[in-house]
Amino acid sequence: MTASTPTDLLPLYVDLDGTLTPSDTLHESVMRLARQTPLALLRLPLWLAGGKAALKQQLGDQVTPDPATLPWREDLIEVLRAERAKGRTVVLASASDIRTVRAVADHLGCFTDVLGTEAGGPNLSRAAKRQAIERHARGLGYERWAYVGNSRDDLPVWDGAAEAWAVNAPAGVLQALRADHPQARVFAREPLTLGTVLKAIRLKQWAKNALIFVPLLAAHSLEPQAWLQALLAFVAFGLCASATYLVNDLLDLPSDRVHRIKRHRPLAAGRMGIATAVVLGGIMLVAAFVLAASVSIGFTALLLLYTATTLAYSVRLKRLALIDVLVLSALYTLRIGAGAVATGVDLSNWLLAISIFLFLSLALVKRCAELEELVDEHSTLAPGRGYQASDLPSLRAMGLSAGFMAVLVLALYIDSQNSRALYAHPDWLWAAAPVLLLWLMRIWLKTGRRELVGEDPLQFALRDRFSWLTLLAMGLIGALATHGLPHLS
């Protein structure tokens, strides 16, 4: 075609990573490899030593992202389909491994051809991509072509294009692009906001770390230094937990994206990039251990144990039926133990026993709520879990039993010497048993009624008025057991 060919008839070459999808298929492949074969990550430096093209080839031999689970720029895809319907040649041109590029093109069905990084060839980015596009366009009989990209790496490609489209492009890239293409077509970028970051690190889940303060409350300690240590421990645990939540979401990307609720999480929805999450998680993890070291060596060791257990849970343990809920209850109880170590308070075996049974019951509430959702969706197997819908009656029985055991241990504690030594009026504690029992039975009743579907029970409790009244009642009972009724003069 001659140089006078209208731009809307020129072949249109479309970038993949960051453009067609807000994610990056190379990063997606690394996450899939981490989930399937974690030890294989040790090979990444060796693969990268052979060049980026060799790295993509090696990763492609191991894993390929499933296009059906990737987030897409639906507005762009709709336009591309319209262009294809007009008879325009639309080519997917990406630096990703050619097998991934073909899989995406087959899935979306709006491309006439593909260009990608092939075995033994160069990494198809920047100048190499431009050259490949020029050769491809000439093969079709065109001297000019159009390009859709998003990043600074695409500037050399846009320089040779007759028409430019920008998708998700940062302000600096748009400024440089418009110097040569003032009429560039722009698909707006959704900026990464503080709200998105806070949602990704699950700031609301920091409420669970309030368990750090339980040993101080149970010991009736008012020592300011101990409370300061507990506060530092709380922040350290929060940072560490947020980092491991990011790891969990990175490993769970495929299953989260097909989940009714979890697909809206920032990573699953593509509102936060994988690289951003990795960097943010690393910073928070380092900060957590710096704070932990300022508390004590013992607390640092427990935080390390928590981190290792949580990562093992994310990689493997959460897919093992029953093991997963035991690990969850242990992680909650570990927070209480860490609070005791951080503040130098002696930890009561009674408190540990109550915690283990109580949090086991709540962990089973969470699993039952997920299985209730499966029943509603007429599915039989929980994705990424080791449970089936038919397990629901058994899990419900286990959860109720664990809750009742927590109340039983509390009742035994009330009549123990430990209780009489710590409380001036321990008989008041008998009122705590029915209050806790009522709260647990109500949680389980709501689970059976599908009122907790897709929700963490502790997060539900934070916004539940009855739960706050229960907490207030327990605090009042504790005060009465400690000081008795006030004397009226």
Side-chain angles (χ1 to χ4, degrees):
M1 296 291 179
T2 66
S4 61
T5 304
T7 56
D8 62 353
L9 295 180
L10 296 176
L12 183 63
Y13 294 86
V14 185
D15 180 46
L16 172 58
D17 298 325
T19 303
L20 196 60
T21 172
S23 188
D24 186 302
T25 54
L26 176 62
H27 300 160
E28 295 274 349
S29 296
V30 172
M31 289 302 103
R32 279 184 170 260
L33 185 67
R35 177 173 178 170
Q36 295 177 16
T37 319
L39 291 179
L41 293 177
L42 299 175
R43 303 178 196 168
L44 289 180
L46 295 176
W47 294 343
L48 186 58
K52 210 166 182 181
L55 170 66
K56 293 174 181 178
Q57 171 69 27
Q58 292 286 352
L59 275 173
D61 291 341
Q62 303 289 326
V63 291
T64 301
D66 182 2
T69 64
L70 291 175
W72 299 108
R73 279 292 305 234
E74 296 294 345
D75 55 344
L76 175 61
I77 292 172
E78 185 177 345
V79 172
L80 294 177
R81 285 178 175 149
E83 293 293 314
R84 173 76 185 274
K86 291 190 304 186
R88 188 173 190 178
T89 298
V90 183
V91 181
L92 183 57
S94 172
S96 297
D97 183 77
I98 188 64
R99 289 164 289 188
T100 299
V101 181
R102 289 194 184 108
V104 168
D106 291 343
H107 173 71
L108 296 178
C110 57
F111 297 100
T112 54
D113 204 353
V114 297
L115 296 174
T117 299
E118 302 196 41
N123 182 46
L124 213 67
S125 180
R126 300 180 67 84
K129 179 184 280 191
R130 175 174 171 172
Q131 293 167 7
I133 289 174
E134 287 174 342
R135 287 193 299 270
H136 189 274
R138 289 194 190 102
L140 297 174
Y142 292 89
E143 293 296 325
R144 304 165 70 231
W145 37 272
Y147 181 69
V148 187
N150 75 294
S151 71
R152 194 163 296 278
D153 284 349
D154 293 315
L155 289 174
V157 189
W158 275 318
D159 284 344
E163 181 185 7
W165 296 12
V167 184
N168 300 327
V173 173
L174 279 179
Q175 184 178 3
L177 171 62
R178 282 176 170 149
D180 293 325
H181 293 277
Q183 303 301 319
R185 184 171 182 176
V186 176
F187 291 75
R189 183 187 191 210
E190 182 181 351
L192 180 63
T193 64
L194 177 61
T196 299
V197 172
L198 295 180
K199 186 175 181 181
I201 66 173
R202 304 191 209 176
L203 188 64
K204 291 181 179 179
Q205 299 284 359
W206 280 39
K208 297 176 181 178
N209 300 321
L211 294 170
I212 293 281
F213 300 102
V214 168
L216 281 176
L217 293 171
H220 306 165
S221 173
L222 298 176
E223 184 182 348
Q225 182 61 32
W227 281 91
L228 177 59
Q229 292 291 91
L231 181 60
L232 291 175
F234 171 83
V235 176
F237 246 89
L239 291 169
C240 183
S242 288
T244 56
Y245 285 140
L246 288 175
V247 172
N248 179 78
D249 288 353
L250 286 169
L251 295 176
D252 277 358
L253 281 175
S255 57
D256 281 357
R257 286 173 179 155
V258 298
H259 191 275
R260 181 177 63 86
I261 295 174
K262 295 178 182 179
R263 63 189 175 91
H264 298 297
R265 289 176 175 173
L267 278 164
R271 295 197 303 275
M272 174 184 277
I274 291 174
T276 301
V278 170
V279 171
L280 180 61
I283 292 172
M284 287 192 298
L285 202 59
V286 170
F289 278 95
V290 169
L291 273 178
S294 72
V295 175
S296 72
I297 295 177
F299 175 75
T300 304
L302 283 181
L303 187 63
L304 183 60
L305 175 61
Y306 170 85
T307 305
T309 305
T310 303
L311 292 177
Y313 175 82
S314 296
V315 173
R316 178 60 180 162
L317 298 181
K318 69 179 178 182
R319 284 178 274 279
L320 302 178
L322 303 182
I323 298 294
D324 63 329
V325 289
L326 289 171
V327 171
L328 280 178
S329 64
L331 288 173
Y332 281 119
T333 306
L334 184 60
R335 288 173 166 92
I336 296 177
V341 171
T343 57
V345 173
D346 290 334
L347 190 60
S348 166
N349 290 333
W350 291 102
L351 180 58
L352 285 176
I354 293 170
S355 301
I356 289 171
F357 287 118
L358 177 62
F359 293 123
L360 177 58
S361 182
L362 294 180
L364 285 162
V365 162
K366 187 174 182 179
R367 289 296 172 262
C368 286
E370 292 171 351
L371 291 178
E372 294 283 5
E373 188 174 3
L374 285 185
V375 172
D376 289 343
E377 295 175 353
H378 305 289
S379 181
T380 58
L381 188 65
R385 305 293 185 187
Y387 297 100
Q388 302 175 4
S390 58
D391 296 328
L392 189 54
S394 298
L395 294 177
R396 189 180 289 120
M398 294 176 196
L400 283 166
S401 300
F404 293 155
M405 284 295 295
V407 178
L408 175 60
V409 175
L410 173 61
L412 293 173
Y413 166 72
I414 294 169
D415 201 34
S416 70
Q417 291 183 352
N418 302 67
S419 172
R420 295 191 186 97
L422 191 59
Y423 294 92
H425 308 277
D427 286 347
W428 278 106
L429 293 176
W430 284 109
V435 171
L436 179 58
L437 196 59
L438 176 61
W439 183 79
L440 281 167
M441 290 191 297
R442 181 173 175 270
I443 286 284
W444 277 101
L445 190 64
K446 284 187 169 292
T447 304
R449 291 176 176 176
R450 292 172 169 77
E451 295 180 26
L452 266 71
V453 169
E455 189 166 14
D456 186 292
L458 289 182
Q459 290 302 307
F460 166 79
L462 286 176
R463 62 175 183 79
D464 176 48
R465 181 180 299 177
F466 184 87
S467 296
W468 282 104
L469 290 174
T470 300
L471 183 62
L472 180 62
M474 296 291 276
L476 179 60
I477 291 167
L480 289 171
T482 304
H483 304 291
L485 286 171
H487 295 288
L488 300 178
S489 57

